[in-house]
Amino acid sequence: MGTFELATDSVAGANPEREMDMARIDRIAEPWGTRTPYGSGSEWPVRVDSHLAQGMVPEEVDKWVQTASVLHSNGDAMDIAVKDNRIVGVRGRSGDRVNHGRLGPKDLYGWQANASPDRLTRPLIRESGKLVETDWDTAMGRVVARSKGLLAEQGPSAIGFYTTGQLFAEEYYTLGVLAHGGLGTNHVDGNTRLCTATAAEALKESFGCDGQPGSYTDVDHADVIALYGHNMAETQTVLWTRVLDRLAGPNPPKIICVDPRLTPVARAAGVHLAPRPGTNVALMNGILHEIIANGWVDMGYIEAHTVGYEQLQNEVKKYPPALVAEICGVPAEKIREAASVIGHAERLLSTVLQGFYQSNQATAAAVQVNNVNIIRGMLGKPGCGVLQMNGQPTAQNTRECGADGDLAGFRNWSNDAHVKDLAKVWNVDPMAIPHYSPPTHLMQMMRYVEEGSIRMLWVNGTNPAVSLPELARIRSILQQERLFLVVQDIFLSETAQLADVVLPAATWGEKTGTFTNADRTVHLSEKAVEPPGDARPDLEIFMDYARRMELKDKDGGPLIKWQDAESAFEAWKECSRGRPCDYSGISYDKLRGGSGVQWPCNEENPDGAERLYADGNFWAQPEYCESYGRDLITGAPVEAHEYKALNPEGKAVIKAAEYVPPHELPSQKFPFQLITGRTLFHFHTRTKTARAPELQAAAPDVWVEISAADAGAYGIAEGDLAEVGTPRGSVRARVRVSGIREGVLFLPFHYGYWDTDGGHEPDGAGRAANELTITDWDAASKQPIFKTAAARLARIGAGNGPSPAPTNTASAPVAEFPAEARTSGIPSARVDEATGTTRTGEAL
Amino acid sequence: MKIGLVLEGLHRSENELVHELFMVSERHKVDHEIYHLARDLAGWSRQHVREIAAIGKQYGKDLDPGPPGESSLMEKIREKGSEMMGRQGEAGLLLLRDLREVYVKASGVSADWEMLAQAAQGIKHRDLLDVAQRCHAQTLRQIKWANGKLKESSTQILVS
């Protein structure tokens, strides 16, 4: 292993022709790479990151194929290097608005998973209890026979679809049409329920509609960036690189961080608030209390463009800093200091992620962040924005296209005119589209499976047997004999091992489609190589199913009228026309070459729209809005007439919320609070990242984080083996003594069982963090709560060295640490970085 | 003046609502949102009971501020029963009946608060009006919750 100091071989000026500076960097040791500082309002310099297979040189690459990253939500544009129908590397696209050439570690190394020898290459069916290989006709025949049988016997309420945040827009749209308009089931959701449901709900509550208000370019202009439960350094590494480059340049922004862990963001912050888990609403109300009490508000904006300010004033009056300090365990001084920085900001960018979305009162807390920007009048201008972030690369499309249960094109399920309009687009009877109640969210679908009214569940591109809360319960639900479980995936995941039919899918680089990142940037991802064996693109699988099911429109024609990715995109464009997420001005040709394009892209915005809600114009008119909202505490949907009375002119809605304590609080028996989360080096349940040697070596196994004070009190040392227990199960992990808040334990949720002897379940001690989590969700967004469970900790024995946790991320050790055990890359982790050109390729 | 009588009746109704919500929570422990939300909403009514008892003194009523609690042995047994019943479809019908009962009981409470608020305005008792307005707003949210849950659950339970 190397060290930080040895990681860089500078070869400045190695390519004199283009005046580029070249460097080779260990991007495991330095995940954010080399600084390219820039000042407020200027353009972020280009840095092109590339990584090729050992021994491969650019001159030998057959072709470069355009795409963007699928191992996080940032949407970093890149090209795939292809040699002899094999992916041999990646290179960032310098001209793209999102990343200006940069790539994160997961992109630089993760592509290797495509060529893993254990890819699924043939369909599997269960015979005498075992999964055996078969052909597509047999496998699809079984799925279709069961579907038709259930439709005849019970109707569409027997069938549910659980999709992902990692397919392409064309695939989600096709799935949404066939499930909603064809089968007529209300049971469609994505695993975006676990990552971005609260982002979507918070935007609907405040602005009447989903849609990211801000833009990544707001980082270039902001003078204050406030990150709420958002460890951007690890979840969107390239966006964080942009922030680091601002911090290294003239007029750096001030950073506010709310996080119970000492994350890289917290280390860079001017003010770091580390609240007790589950108290975010109290904290936000405290900050809002200070902002309002000090008059740091834009009354002109509030009066012209909002409703509900008075209720907010009345609510936050009850949260003076001294009280909030008690609830949150944060000094009152720090709350005042944070509020003052935010209150004096001239260009405030607020970002939110899982620390709010997966915690107690998720939507209520995220909405209060919107409120900060609304009452300060800081929306729709350079540097003034809100980024309610996504966790997954294509989560935005799951939401837009209707694969999360919402109606396609941000149509409002409780507005009959919208349903009628959608029925016209699909050429079906409006009654064919279920809209009698809110769409069934995932956790409710699992309940219906448990009690036996959903009898066929089709899971694709996600791994609920590791990623859902309370795994013993989830396994027992999925293992029921009476459930027909279809799993469509690229590996035999824990969930696939429980399936009745397994459908092998093609993945990124093996199929064509588009997807949209967290700041509405649409990218084209082209097919670079053939999928392995008989694996097929998800789009083809869905179209094949619709064909075999003989799904028809109301005139007897085929319901699915497209044949390939591009024609599916054209159909989706028509569906989105005139809606907020308007793609009608985008085409594959427009996306080829050049940069990604931000929606809405239409006649009015031919090159897309950088920011939403300029001049205080919203999509919240009762006739146009996507949602009338919900009660933030009870989750009860607001009725149309109530919304019309509240917000007849479609202004921004300021919604207040009282603090409600978490449902599971520490006790004598379970004295800690357990939070789960992610690390920079892995994505989800590691199906891809664990198959990339550099990433796997950087974070090879589960660990548990504990504060130095708690470690002392429990007589636990770095590297010891400990058991974390909750009323639902236990997990054994090696201890990292980190900068986490006292009384709080952290477990990464990535580690399951597919690479252990247990296969799909624990073989002895538990390893998956979700053995421990509670089945409970936010009543408004229906997002499960992964970050508020009571837990106990016991030392099992001494370790033989430090824990396997990364040392250059939020899990960094706080005590003296042996240099040779610090995180650094294996030899193949060296990455080329080229700086010194502009986005158009000219020398600086 | 008959305000004391209304307060007495309301005190009884809110107590019954607390009891009902706890019972629904325990019976449907495996329907996790029902379980958690019913308990949270019972908390609102328990607070209402305290406020009614406090203001009742002004109207000559000595009402118990301590509403019914939770977690008796019987309730634990009901929770266990819920877990065992959780794989049977018939539990769904019971859920609809229970939500209907919450809706009806909360509507009764709402009517009582309406009456009180009207009386308080008539005799210009600001304290009483303030309590009635604050508590009634929450009662309405309890009703909407029960109604929303009924709407959301009925289709699946009744057609499958």
Side-chain angles (χ1 to χ4, degrees):
Chain A
M1 286 198 193
T3 66
F4 272 80
E5 290 71 28
L6 293 175
T8 309
D9 312 324
S10 194
V11 273
N15 189 344
E17 227 174 71
R18 290 185 61 197
E19 301 285 336
M20 281 193 300
D21 294 323
M22 297 290 290
R24 279 177 74 76
I25 310 281
D26 171 0
R27 290 290 299 279
I28 296 292
E30 297 180 65
W32 307 284
T34 309
R35 292 286 57 75
T36 52
Y38 71 122
S40 178
S42 54
E43 167 142 333
W44 188 27
V46 163
R47 186 190 85 199
V48 178
D49 298 351
S50 62
H51 182 57
L52 295 177
Q54 292 279 75
M56 181 60 51
V57 290
E59 294 71 31
E60 283 179 26
V61 170
D62 292 341
K63 59 177 176 180
W64 295 90
V65 180
Q66 180 178 354
T67 182
S69 52
V70 287
L71 294 171
H72 50 78
S73 68
N74 210 53
D76 299 324
M78 65 171 104
D79 290 323
I80 296 175
V82 179
K83 172 82 178 167
D84 301 331
N85 192 40
R86 280 176 50 244
I87 298 178
V88 292
V90 290
R91 182 178 67 193
R93 290 177 62 82
S94 60
D96 196 88
R97 63 173 301 280
V98 170
N99 54 326
H100 296 211
R102 289 164 190 76
L103 294 176
K106 287 197 283 281
D107 308 318
L108 290 164
Y109 312 113
W111 52 269
Q112 299 167 94
N114 274 42
S116 294
D118 57 346
R119 279 286 298 276
L120 288 170
T121 57
R122 302 252 293 156
L124 309 175
I125 50 171
R126 195 165 291 279
E127 289 287 354
S128 317
K130 282 199 159 53
L131 285 172
V132 296
E133 289 195 351
T134 187
D135 54 40
W136 276 99
D137 267 341
T138 310
M140 290 305 283
R142 283 208 182 180
V143 176
V144 168
R146 181 59 71 102
S147 304
K148 286 185 171 171
L150 288 172
L151 285 178
E153 203 184 310
Q154 180 182 323
S157 68
I159 301 176
F161 293 88
Y162 179 35
T163 186
T164 178
Q166 298 165 44
L167 298 189
F168 295 156
E170 294 79 355
E171 298 168 329
Y172 294 131
Y173 182 58
T174 305
L175 174 62
V177 176
L178 80 84
H180 285 135
L183 302 179
T185 179
N186 203 21
H187 310 319
V188 184
D189 203 354
N191 66 4
T192 49
R193 190 61 56 190
L194 317 180
C195 76
T196 78
T198 300
E201 190 61 34
L203 295 169
K204 290 178 198 172
E205 295 295 341
S206 298
F207 308 114
C209 191
D210 195 351
Q212 190 69 274
S215 164
Y216 288 171
T217 51
D218 287 330
V219 170
D220 307 344
H221 303 277
D223 68 337
V224 174
I225 305 177
L227 300 98
Y228 299 94
H230 183 193
N231 184 6
M232 187 196 280
E234 298 194 53
T235 54
Q236 286 87 17
T237 53
V238 170
L239 191 58
W240 181 243
T241 302
R242 199 167 189 149
V243 174
L244 288 177
D245 286 345
R246 277 291 318 273
L247 290 173
N251 330 101
K254 294 194 179 87
I255 306 291
I256 306 280
C257 172
V258 176
D259 202 311
R261 296 168 79 205
L262 189 56
T263 61
V265 176
R267 289 173 198 271
V271 186
H272 174 209
L273 308 174
R276 190 171 281 131
T279 63
N280 292 329
V281 166
L283 183 71
M284 292 311 302
N285 282 352
I287 291 172
L288 285 161
H289 175 280
E290 286 299 287
I291 291 174
I292 291 175
N294 288 289
W296 298 320
V297 296
D298 183 341
M299 279 315 294
Y301 189 90
I302 291 170
E303 277 160 22
H305 303 298
T306 73
V307 295
Y309 181 60
E310 205 185 311
Q311 287 91 317
L312 182 72
Q313 274 182 306
N314 291 336
E315 188 62 45
V316 303
K317 250 185 218 155
K318 304 173 203 159
Y319 295 86
L323 173 69
V324 173
E326 284 295 311
I327 299 172
C328 303
V330 172
E333 284 320 301
K334 285 217 166 182
I335 298 167
R336 287 198 193 96
E337 191 186 348
S340 173
V341 172
I342 294 166
H344 287 99
E346 289 172 20
R347 294 173 305 281
L348 170 66
L349 174 63
S350 303
T351 77
V352 195
L353 197 61
Q354 309 306 1
F356 274 37
Y357 299 165
Q358 294 185 338
S359 192
N360 180 44
Q361 292 197 278
T363 306
V367 161
Q368 301 320 310
V369 178
N370 291 342
N371 286 344
V372 170
N373 278 69
I374 293 172
I375 67 173
R376 299 226 58 229
M378 294 204 174
L379 286 169
K381 295 180 285 190
C384 300
V386 174
L387 294 171
Q388 297 280 357
M389 294 299 292
N390 303 343
Q392 292 181 83
T394 75
Q396 190 59 46
N397 307 103
T398 316
R399 281 146 58 178
E400 293 158 8
C401 300
D404 67 342
D406 288 343
L407 293 184
F410 294 160
R411 285 176 178 81
N412 187 342
W413 63 266
S414 45
N415 182 335
D416 284 343
H418 286 200
V419 178
K420 215 172 132 191
D421 178 51
L422 186 62
K424 203 174 127 204
V425 175
W426 291 351
N427 195 32
V428 299
D429 186 286
M431 277 286 273
I433 303 171
H435 61 282
Y436 35 79
S437 71
T440 316
H441 61 92
L442 168 70
M443 298 305 286
Q444 187 62 51
M445 276 168 53
M446 295 309 286
R447 173 67 191 131
Y448 289 154
V449 173
E450 182 175 38
E451 49 106 43
S453 68
I454 288 182
R455 295 152 71 185
M456 170 177 151
L457 183 66
W458 187 330
V459 176
N460 88 280
T462 188
N463 193 6
V466 179
S467 54
L468 291 190
E470 204 178 342
L471 288 182
R473 169 175 181 261
I474 296 302
R475 281 189 294 266
S476 85
I477 290 174
L478 295 177
Q479 276 169 320
Q480 291 177 101
E481 273 297 317
R482 63 183 175 183
L483 172 69
F484 185 70
L485 180 65
V486 181
V487 174
Q488 177 175 328
D489 212 318
I490 68 169
F491 293 108
L492 195 67
S493 66
E494 288 84 344
T495 307
Q497 293 174 41
L498 303 176
D500 296 288
V501 175
V502 178
L503 304 173
T507 186
W508 169 90
E510 300 162 358
K511 58 180 187 177
T512 294
T514 55
F515 58 94
T516 306
N517 77 347
D519 86 336
R520 293 174 281 105
T521 305
V522 186
H523 284 116
L524 177 65
S525 180
E526 302 237 47
K527 178 177 172 176
V529 298
E530 290 299 325
D534 294 342
R536 288 182 180 173
D538 300 88
L539 178 65
E540 277 182 30
I541 299 172
F542 293 145
M543 289 192 305
D544 184 36
Y545 177 70
R547 204 159 39 234
R548 290 171 190 260
M549 288 296 291
E550 301 162 89
L551 300 179
K552 302 278 191 252
D553 67 14
K554 68 178 181 192
D555 298 325
L559 178 71
I560 308 293
K561 297 172 174 57
W562 41 96
Q563 311 77 37
D564 56 17
E566 190 158 4
S567 53
F569 183 76
E570 290 298 316
W572 159 239
K573 272 168 63 173
E574 279 316 303
C575 182
S576 74
R577 188 184 293 275
R579 293 301 299 161
C581 51
D582 195 333
Y583 282 66
S584 59
I586 305 180
S587 64
Y588 275 21
D589 279 343
K590 192 176 175 73
L591 295 174
R592 265 189 199 110
S595 172
V597 176
Q598 285 175 291
W599 65 247
C601 179
N602 45 25
E603 277 176 24
E604 207 180 317
N605 308 285
D607 293 309
E610 192 167 23
R611 295 177 184 84
L612 305 183
Y613 310 144
D615 308 316
N617 293 319
F618 302 95
W619 287 318
Q621 300 80 6
E623 315 72 44
Y624 191 72
C625 70
E626 182 188 9
S627 169
Y628 303 131
R630 290 175 182 264
D631 186 311
L632 295 183
I633 305 295
T634 71
V638 175
E639 299 286 336
H641 67 272
E642 294 175 279
Y643 185 82
K644 280 175 192 157
L646 166 83
N647 193 21
E649 294 169 67
K651 297 180 175 184
V653 180
I654 297 175
K655 274 200 171 178
E658 69 262 37
Y659 164 65
V660 181
H663 292 132
E664 188 170 270
L665 289 166
S667 60
Q668 254 187 332
K669 199 170 165 199
F670 298 102
F672 286 95
Q673 281 192 299
L674 171 70
I675 58 177
T676 72
R678 48 228 83 228
T679 181
L680 191 152
F681 300 107
H682 283 301
F683 184 57
H684 276 214
T685 58
R686 296 162 55 250
T687 43
K688 280 186 173 175
T689 50
R691 290 172 169 98
E694 298 82 1
L695 298 171
Q696 174 62 8
D701 208 345
V702 67
W703 71 90
V704 57
E705 284 172 40
I706 184 173
S707 72
D710 289 328
Y714 277 72
I716 291 178
E718 168 73 36
D720 283 358
L721 184 66
E723 185 168 287
V724 188
T726 70
R728 293 157 293 276
S730 66
V731 163
R732 285 192 179 188
R734 307 268 305 280
V735 170
R736 164 58 44 86
V737 180
S738 77
I740 196 169
R741 182 190 160 89
E742 271 183 61
V744 182
L745 303 175
F746 172 90
L747 277 172
F749 86 107
H750 307 290
Y751 301 90
Y753 304 102
W754 62 263
D755 54 346
T756 70
D757 291 340
H760 68 278
E761 62 187 351
D763 177 27
R767 187 193 196 202
N770 280 317
E771 303 291 347
L772 308 176
T773 42
I774 186 172
T775 304
D776 187 9
W777 54 83
D778 181 62
S781 70
K782 315 299 181 187
Q783 182 157 352
I785 297 171
F786 293 100
K787 294 184 190 278
T788 330
R792 65 176 167 226
L793 183 75
R795 182 178 183 272
I796 302 296
N800 52 355
S803 86
T807 61
N808 52 355
T809 57
S811 55
V814 279
E816 286 288 302
F817 202 80
E820 68 279 5
R822 289 202 174 264
T823 298
S824 63
I826 60 177
S828 59
R830 300 256 152 161
V831 166
D832 289 313
E833 293 184 350
T835 49
T837 59
T838 66
R839 268 174 77 196
T840 48
E842 291 156 31
L844 284 176
Chain B
M1 197 167 68
K2 303 166 197 74
I3 289 178
L5 285 177
V6 180
L7 277 170
E8 205 167 26
L10 179 56
H11 181 262
R12 193 166 48 243
S13 313
E14 285 277 21
N15 268 316
E16 280 172 20
L17 183 55
V18 172
H19 184 73
E20 181 67 26
L21 283 164
F22 274 129
M23 191 139 85
V24 169
S25 164
E26 289 140 11
R27 273 203 202 131
H28 304 285
K29 196 182 182 197
V30 288
D31 277 292
H32 296 81
E33 190 173 323
I34 305 278
Y35 174 73
H36 289 298
L37 257 293
R39 296 163 75 83
D40 287 349
L41 299 188
W44 291 359
S45 284
R46 293 177 79 180
Q47 177 60 26
H48 298 177
V49 168
R50 279 190 282 274
E51 299 213 24
I52 293 164
I55 203 148
K57 292 196 181 79
Q58 298 178 26
Y59 301 91
K61 291 290 170 190
D62 182 21
L63 301 168
D64 184 358
E70 36 163 331
S71 296
S72 69
L73 180 61
M74 271 317 288
E75 283 149 358
K76 288 290 161 209
I77 290 169
R78 269 198 291 270
E79 288 185 6
K80 206 70 216 164
S82 160
E83 281 166 22
M84 287 159 72
M85 280 279 288
R87 294 268 161 107
Q88 292 172 23
E90 292 70 30
L93 276 179
L94 180 64
L95 174 64
L96 294 184
R97 270 212 305 278
D98 279 346
L99 286 169
R100 183 182 181 281
E101 196 54 32
V102 171
Y103 181 81
V104 168
K105 285 211 158 77
S107 298
V109 170
S110 167
D112 285 352
W113 283 119
E114 287 285 10
M115 287 189 274
L116 270 178
Q118 291 303 105
Q121 287 178 76
I123 55 172
K124 302 184 178 60
H125 284 192
R126 282 180 198 281
D127 288 359
L128 182 61
L129 182 61
D130 178 53
V131 171
Q133 283 179 334
R134 253 184 309 113
C135 296
H136 189 216
Q138 290 187 320
T139 309
L140 292 175
R141 292 166 75 188
Q142 291 170 322
I143 295 171
K144 284 179 197 159
W145 174 74
N147 189 49
K149 278 283 139 197
L150 268 174
K151 208 169 160 181
E152 179 188 306
S153 318
S154 294
T155 316
Q156 184 74 6
I157 291 171
L158 296 178
V159 306
S160 63

